[in-house]
């Protein structure tokens, strides 16, 4: 795939690029479902392979794949086709489910499952005790960022913003 060129071809090009390796894997390991994330191009290619192998596909959508990519006519059609031909679609929010319905995805295909955390593992702890255990000075401010370090996440903006308030 060439960045920003022929984006409407990404799905079919991705399909052809993974077809032979997937068929080779399938011959030695007969998996019985495909779980694909990102409606386009990933799940588009996965859906074509699932149909070819006659196995179910579950597609998980995250946001940009629906909110941004569906603004383009041909990609919107491919996304809608992909999701309507998936056996189940997982959405991370109700708003995203509504957007999918707006672009023609059948409501009964979509299940909302929020991204989340295990509150038994991740929970507030006593600040004093935690600083002591981690060896963090009591008079220092601590800023925690939890997320992907990709530029699109805007960590540079977060750092600039904190520099202005501290």
């Amino acid at each position: 795939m060439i960045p920003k060129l022929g984006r409407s071809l990404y799905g079919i090009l991705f399909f052809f690029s993974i077809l032979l390796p997937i068929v080779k894997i399938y011959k030695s390991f007969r998996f019985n479902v495909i779980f694909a994330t990102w409606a386009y191009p990933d799940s588009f290619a996965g859906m074509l392979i699932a149909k070819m192998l006659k196995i179910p596909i579950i597609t998980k959508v995250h946001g940009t794949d629906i909110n941004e990519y569906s603004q383009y006519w041909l990609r919107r059609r491919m996304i809608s086709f992909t999701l309507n031909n998936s056996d189940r679609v997982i959405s991370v929010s109700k708003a995203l489910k509504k957007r999918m319905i707006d672009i023609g995805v059948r409501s009964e295909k979509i299940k909302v499952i929020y991204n989340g955390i295990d509150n038994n593992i991740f929970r507030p702890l006593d600040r004093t005790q935690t600083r002591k255990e981690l060896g963090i000075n009591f008079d220092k401010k601590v800023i925690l960022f939890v997320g992907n370090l990709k530029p699109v996440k805007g960590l540079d903006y977060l750092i600039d913003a904190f520099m202005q308030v501290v």
Side-chain angles (χ1 to χ4, degrees):
M1 294 185 275
I2 301 169
K4 297 185 180 188
L5 185 64
R7 288 181 176 172
S8 294
L9 297 174
Y10 284 9
I12 197 72
L13 292 173
F14 188 49
F15 166 73
F16 284 119
S17 73
I18 64 172
L19 179 60
L20 291 177
I22 296 295
V23 168
K24 185 177 178 181
I25 292 168
Y26 189 70
K27 285 180 180 178
S28 65
F29 173 70
R30 294 245 178 215
F31 50 89
N32 56 11
V33 66
I34 292 175
F35 177 71
T37 63
W38 297 100
Y40 186 83
D42 307 50
S43 293
F44 177 82
M47 180 270 305
L48 294 176
I49 289 173
K51 296 302 176 196
M52 184 186 80
L53 297 175
K54 296 178 175 46
I55 61 173
I57 180 168
I58 300 167
T59 297
K60 183 178 181 186
V61 299
H62 298 271
T64 299
D65 50 348
I66 303 302
N67 294 322
E68 298 294 324
Y69 298 169
S70 69
Q71 293 180 33
Y72 303 93
W73 180 83
L74 186 53
R75 278 189 268 169
R76 180 174 56 249
R77 299 277 312 237
M78 295 168 90
I79 289 168
S80 180
F81 178 77
T82 298
L83 300 179
N84 280 315
N85 281 283
S86 293
D87 294 275
R88 178 66 77 177
V89 178
I90 299 172
S91 173
V92 297
S93 72
K94 287 180 184 175
L96 197 54
K97 177 179 179 176
K98 182 186 179 320
R99 177 71 181 126
M100 285 188 282
I101 293 167
D102 291 346
I103 66 168
V105 180
R106 294 187 311 277
S107 176
E108 65 272 8
K109 291 263 183 191
I110 308 166
K111 173 76 173 159
V112 176
I113 302 175
Y114 297 101
N115 285 335
I117 60 167
D118 183 339
N119 290 325
N120 295 315
I121 297 171
F122 301 98
R123 63 192 180 286
L125 299 173
D126 179 74
R127 185 177 294 178
T128 304
Q129 181 63 31
T130 302
R131 279 181 177 252
K132 195 181 289 183
E133 287 176 18
L134 295 174
I136 299 172
N137 273 336
F138 291 91
D139 60 343
K140 299 287 183 190
K141 291 185 181 186
V142 176
I143 299 169
L144 174 66
F145 170 78
V146 178
N148 199 318
L149 297 177
K150 290 184 175 183
V152 71
K153 297 298 182 177
L155 185 56
D156 52 336
Y157 295 115
L158 179 65
I159 292 168
D160 288 344
F162 275 115
M163 293 300 289
Q164 294 176 27
V165 296
V166 285

